[in-house]
Amino acid sequence: MLEKSPITDYRESADYLRTRIGVTPDIAVVLGSGLGALADTLENPIVIPYRDIPHFPISTVSYQKGEMVIGCLGGKLVLAMNGRFHFYEGWEMWQTAYYVGVLKLLGVSRLIITNAAGGVNENLGPGDIVCVRDHIKLTANSPVRGQNIPEFGERFFDMQHVYDKPMADLAHACAEARGFALTDGVYAFMSGPQYETPAEIRMLRLLGGDVVGMSTVPEIIAAAQCGIKVLCLSAVTNMAAGITGAAITEEEVLETGAQIRERFVGLLTDVITQIGD
Ligand code: HPA
């Protein structure tokens, strides 16, 4: 197990970004599979490949770009993360959430996290967007395990308010104005990379899960410790194992993700534009 980076590494990452960006972004957005298009809509973009940022992990998922794009959208300075780090790639859990600590040092206080997920709740369907209001993590590991970094927060911290209600309410209102509804739900984290078995999905449903995915939760935990408020939106790309009996493939996940892209990017644009100070 790789030891957690010391605070000095996080500081060097943040200092490098500060020299490139100048001012604190109003909001950060993590763009999940297929949502990189939002980064293309930012005005006056500064593009920073992850490999240029000291100590930053470099994402290995082929269809994710591995860069930050900082630019303006609706009068806000947005830091978009085009590509993230997954536990299944081999990163330690703290590495998948490394960027959250860097955002904290940059002074970012709000984060929108997006992802592709399987529908566990049978009332959902591919193409739906779920506003995640809580999560379940069954794996023992945590991104904040090991030596605590006091600059990020307390050793033991509350998890009840990290999913920010005002941002979730705004997302619902923006979706409604665009003529569709978001469903509130609980995201169940599974470490992957294999998709789940039907029995695992039945278990997650019994436990109260609505969607299932392989990202996001470590990042949310790190954000909770740092006091960063989160809006989390999941694109349902497929029904989870055992629900329809159809095989789950990466192609299906990416294809449905592409079909939702326009609606999702439109929603994100409205939320960012209308978010208060
Ligand atoms: N399971 C886990 N992760 C996923 C799925 C799924 O069915 N779909 C998209 N990401």
Side-chain angles (χ1 to χ4, degrees):
M1 170 109 62
L2 193 64
E3 268 301 300
K4 247 170 33 181
S5 283
I7 185 69
T8 44
D9 284 6
Y10 289 88
R11 286 210 182 103
E12 282 172 29
S13 303
D15 288 347
Y16 173 80
L17 289 170
R18 217 174 277 117
T19 59
R20 296 289 308 273
I21 310 168
V23 288
T24 303
D26 296 301
I27 190 158
V29 188
V30 180
L31 303 170
S33 310
L35 290 172
L38 181 91
D40 301 334
T41 69
L42 300 181
E43 294 160 30
N44 304 318
I46 302 170
V47 179
I48 306 176
Y50 293 157
R51 74 180 106 82
D52 289 358
I53 307 169
H55 311 295
F56 223 72
I58 297 163
S59 48
T60 65
V61 180
S62 58
Y63 46 84
Q64 297 195 352
K65 269 191 173 164
E67 62 189 23
M68 274 183 195
V69 183
I70 298 101
C72 284
L73 181 66
K76 305 281 182 345
L77 185 63
V78 179
L79 185 158
M81 302 257 316
N82 206 346
R84 61 144 61 84
F85 315 98
H86 303 84
F87 187 68
Y88 66 73
E89 291 174 82
W91 301 108
E92 299 294 345
M93 223 172 247
W94 65 265
Q95 289 177 299
T96 69
Y98 180 85
Y99 77 87
V100 178
V102 175
L103 293 179
K104 166 77 175 174
L105 295 182
L106 276 179
V108 173
S109 58
R110 283 177 300 198
L111 174 62
I112 301 178
I113 293 187
T114 65
N115 57 56
V120 174
N121 183 333
E122 295 191 16
N123 295 324
L124 294 168
D128 285 348
I129 300 175
V130 170
C131 181
V132 176
R133 304 301 289 262
D134 205 342
H135 72 234
I136 296 171
K137 179 174 77 65
L138 298 171
T139 55
N141 208 334
S142 161
V144 292
R145 180 171 178 266
Q147 186 78 31
N148 188 44
I149 300 179
E151 285 81 352
F152 296 147
E154 303 291 333
R155 162 86 301 178
F156 303 104
F157 52 90
D158 192 274
M159 285 295 302
Q160 296 177 87
H161 303 292
V162 61
Y163 295 95
D164 186 62
K165 184 172 183 309
M167 280 204 283
D169 288 346
L170 175 62
H172 275 281
C174 290
E176 207 167 292
R178 282 182 169 262
F180 62 94
L182 298 180
T183 309
D184 281 332
V186 172
Y187 180 103
F189 171 79
M190 295 294 270
S191 52
Q194 72 286 353
Y195 293 113
E196 299 70 33
T197 64
E200 285 168 340
I201 293 302
R202 285 196 300 274
M203 170 190 72
L204 294 177
R205 184 65 193 132
L206 276 173
L207 296 180
D210 296 296
V211 286
V212 59
M214 306 174 192
S215 68
T216 297
V217 165
E219 301 151 63
I220 299 268
I221 293 170
Q225 189 192 29
C226 287
I228 293 176
K229 294 174 180 162
V230 178
L231 168 66
C232 178
L233 298 170
S234 292
V236 178
T237 51
N238 57 282
M239 290 314 285
I243 294 182
T244 67
I248 301 165
T249 63
E250 188 185 12
E251 290 72 45
E252 178 194 11
V253 168
L254 293 178
E255 210 176 287
T256 315
Q259 285 162 14
I260 311 176
R261 182 181 301 149
E262 207 179 303
R263 208 151 46 96
F264 209 137
V265 169
L267 174 65
L268 286 175
T269 304
D270 289 355
V271 169
I272 291 168
T273 304
Q274 291 178 38
I275 215 157
D277 289 327

